[in-house]
């Protein structure tokens, strides 16, 4: 891509690419714009987290007499508020909420077509120790008729029906990375002026990688196929041993692996029969991004995006990253059956 593209702002990029999206009502563009705005507000708050001793911890009252909120609650409120107030979508499901939220469900005139599923602040246990966290989002067209209240069916769609997905990583710099099904592009926030710039056009997972990311503390509880694959990663042969890197923030581990080449695994274990990660808020959007970036996402046997969801907070084992690495892990899973 020509260097001039790298000066493009996210706002310009959205306008320029709106027409390449197959449903060109502009609604999806407004939706990405609202996520961009909420991301900036949350970024500002995340960056202040280290000041907690000075401005007060969650549960305290701040100098303006406002209650300090936990950051994950704050992020949840900001994303929901932004999308609701601007009347952008017809429904939202959040990892932080027990049930989905119907927007203007009584309003027969609600013509919005999209629902959003969001994990507002993933990896939030990392905040206290100044480690990157992220926001993950997934967008579907509703399946029930426009103008009627949204139902659970609008949210329980297979990942292969997603029209957009992305994440924000609040890292050494803050980035918004998303896809609308036409590749993956990454935008870096210039905090001085509050603008996202296209910094990583057409992101691609290398087909092979040398990084494996898994919580090895759970090793003895993993299925045999995963144990064998981990041993394979550690074996001295060819380009192995691989390097182990695990931040414990899915967005950051995924982001690094997409740039450098690697595999992320959160398998099932004898402690958690379906692993930990949520199909709808975490795995589906990351799987869509991975496939759009020439990578792969699997539960060990099946493509993540073909799993039929049965409930909002469903968990699934998750293996995601460079294509050849994921296929090798799947081979180990099959051979251990
Ligand atoms: P969360 O949604 O409660 O933040 O949990 C999801 C996070 C992922 O970001 C991360 O990859 C994983 O949990 C880490 O879990 P563990 O500490 O069990 O390794
Ligand atoms: Mg999460």
């Amino acid at each position: 891509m020509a260097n001039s593209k790298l000066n493009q702002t996210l706002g310009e990029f959205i306008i320029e690419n709106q027409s390449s999206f197959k449903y060109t009502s502009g609604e999806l563009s407004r939706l990405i714009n609202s996520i961009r705005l909420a991301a900036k507000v949350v970024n500002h708050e995340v960056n202040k987290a280290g000041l907690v001793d000075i401005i007060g911890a969650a549960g305290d009252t701040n100098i303006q007499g406002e209650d300090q909120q936990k950051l994950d609650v704050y992020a949840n409120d900001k994303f929901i508020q932004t999308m609701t107030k601007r009347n952008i979508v017809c429904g939202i499901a959040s990892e932080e909420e027990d049930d989905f939220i119907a927007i203007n469900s009584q309003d027969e005139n609600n013509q919005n077509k999209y629902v959003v599923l969001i994990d507002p602040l993933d990896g939030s246990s990392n905040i206290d120790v100044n480690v990157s966290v992220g926001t993950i989002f997934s967008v579907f067209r509703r399946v029930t008729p426009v103008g009627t209240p949204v139902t659970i069916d609008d949210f329980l769609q297979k990942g292969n029906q997603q029209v957009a997905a992305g994440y924000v990583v609040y890292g050494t710099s803050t980035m918004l990375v998303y896809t609308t099904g036409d590749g993956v592009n990454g935008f870096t926030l210039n905090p001085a002026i509050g603008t996202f710039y296209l910094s990583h056009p057409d992101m691609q997972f290398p087909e092979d990688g040398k990084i494996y990311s898994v919580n090895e503390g759970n090793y003895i509880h993993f299925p045999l196929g995963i144990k064998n694959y981990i041993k394979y990663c550690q074996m001295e042969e060819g380009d192995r041993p691989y390097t182990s890197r695990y931040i414990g923030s899915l967005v950051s581990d995924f982001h690094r692996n997409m740039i450098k080449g690697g595999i992320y695994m959160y398998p099932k274990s004898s402690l958690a029969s379906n692993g930990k990660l949520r199909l709808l808020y975490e795995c589906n959007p990351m799987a869509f991004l991975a496939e759009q970036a020439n990578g792969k996402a699997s539960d060990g046997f099946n493509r993540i995006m073909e799993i039929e969801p049965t409930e909002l907070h469903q968990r699934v084992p998750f293996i995601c990253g460079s294509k050849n690495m994921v296929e090798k892990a799947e081979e180990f899973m099959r051979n251990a059956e």
Side-chain angles (χ1 to χ4, degrees), residues 95 119 122-124 215 246 248-250 264 266 276-277 282:
E95 199 191 283
D119 182 354
D122 183 65
S124 52
N215 184 344
Y246 189 70
S249 253
L250 171 62
Y264 173 96
Y266 210 110
K276 176 184 185 187
L277 301 181
E282 292 160 333

Side-chain angles (χ1 to χ4, degrees), residues 51-198:
L51 290 169
V52 81
D53 289 341
I54 303 164
I55 60 175
D60 288 356
T61 306
N62 71 12
I63 203 154
Q64 287 91 23
E66 300 159 335
D67 288 339
Q68 295 286 317
Q69 280 179 311
K70 285 184 73 176
L71 270 175
D72 41 9
V73 179
Y74 179 87
N76 187 48
D77 289 352
K78 281 299 158 213
F79 278 99
I80 291 175
Q81 260 173 29
T82 310
M83 286 185 274
T84 310
K85 273 195 188 151
R86 296 178 149 206
N87 195 18
I88 304 245
V89 291
C90 55
I92 303 170
S94 164
E95 199 191 283
E96 293 284 330
E97 307 277 339
D98 291 339
D99 212 345
F100 65 84
I101 300 166
I103 297 169
N104 286 350
S105 58
Q106 304 307 316
D107 178 0
E108 296 290 308
N109 293 322
N110 182 355
Q111 295 300 307
N112 296 338
K113 293 184 288 295
Y114 296 104
V115 295
V116 171
L117 296 101
I118 190 160
D119 182 354
L121 208 60
D122 183 65
S124 52
S125 62
N126 275 326
I127 289 229
D128 293 348
V129 288
N130 210 354
V131 171
S132 304
V133 289
T135 297
I136 310 171
F137 61 92
S138 167
V139 183
F140 292 87
R141 281 171 78 85
R142 63 183 302 176
V143 290
T144 54
V146 168
T148 63
V150 284
T151 74
I152 187 79
D153 293 341
D154 295 313
F155 297 93
L156 297 185
Q157 299 190 52
K158 286 187 193 173
N160 60 14
Q161 297 302 305
Q162 287 172 103
V163 294
Y167 59 78
V168 185
V169 56
Y170 309 97
T172 42
S173 52
T174 291
M175 281 189 70
L176 194 156
V177 175
Y178 79 100
T179 181
T180 52
D182 187 22
V184 176
N185 291 287
F187 300 82
T188 302
L189 180 66
N190 178 343
I193 51 176
T195 303
F196 282 101
Y197 287 96
L198 179 61

